[in-house]
Amino acid sequence: MKERKGRKDRKEINILVGNQIRIARERAGLTQEQFGALVSLGPKHVSDIERGYVGISISTLKRICEQLAVSSDWILFGDQGINKMEYITERLKRLSPEQFAIMERFLNQTIHLFNFMRKR
C-alpha cells in the first residue's frame, strides 16, 4: 500500500496551489465531487490536490480556472492584497457573454429586491 507523504514531504507550491483551489471551490459553493465532475477529476484526486499531496498540470490548471472563473495568477500567487470587489470583478471578466448577461440580470433583480425591502 502506498504511504501518504507528511506535510514536510509535500512541495510548498503544491500546498499553496491546492489551498487556493480549495478556497475558490468553496467560494463557488461546490463540493469536491461536483467540482471534480466539472474538471474531469475524481473526488479523491481533488482532495489530494487541495491538500498539496499532488501537483497539477497546465491543462488541469486551465480547466480549473475556466470552471471557477478565477485567474491562474490568483491560483498560483494568491490574492496579493486584492479586495473583494476586485476579486468579484476579475471573476465576472472571465464569464462568457451569455453567463455575464445572466449574472447582470440576477444582480439587477437582487438590487431591486434589496431596495424594495429597504422601503418597507
Side-chain angles (χ1 to χ4, degrees):
M1 178 167 233
K2 189 176 177 183
E3 285 212 22
R4 184 65 76 181
K5 290 182 178 180
R7 183 169 177 89
K8 290 184 179 190
D9 295 333
R10 294 181 284 165
K11 292 180 181 176
E12 188 66 27
I13 187 68
N14 291 347
I15 294 168
L16 295 172
V17 167
N19 189 54
Q20 289 300 110
I21 291 170
R22 179 189 54 76
I23 290 168
R25 175 187 59 78
E26 288 175 349
R27 284 182 178 170
L30 297 170
T31 65
Q32 288 181 336
E33 292 80 13
Q34 293 167 329
F35 176 63
L38 289 173
V39 295
S40 303
L41 299 171
K44 183 180 179 325
H45 196 175
V46 171
S47 176
D48 287 345
I49 289 168
E50 289 183 354
R51 291 180 297 139
Y53 287 118
V54 297
I56 60 173
S57 67
I58 299 285
S59 60
T60 299
L61 176 61
K62 184 176 186 285
R63 287 194 314 271
I64 288 169
C65 292
E66 289 170 346
Q67 290 301 318
L68 296 177
V70 296
S71 73
S72 58
D73 281 355
W74 190 85
I75 296 289
L76 296 172
F77 303 109
D79 65 17
Q80 297 184 344
I82 191 170
N83 65 39
K84 288 183 181 182
M85 185 64 73
E86 291 169 324
Y87 173 77
I88 290 169
T89 301
E90 283 300 313
R91 291 194 69 195
L92 289 172
K93 286 180 187 177
R94 297 184 185 317
L95 297 177
S96 70
E98 296 81 19
Q99 292 170 324
F100 187 87
I102 292 167
M103 236 3 254
E104 185 176 28
R105 283 194 302 275
F106 172 77
L107 185 58
N108 287 335
Q109 291 174 352
T110 302
I111 291 170
H112 177 72
L113 178 62
F114 287 157
N115 289 335
F116 175 78
M117 292 175 67
R118 195 176 343 158
K119 291 178 183 176
R120 293 174 91 197

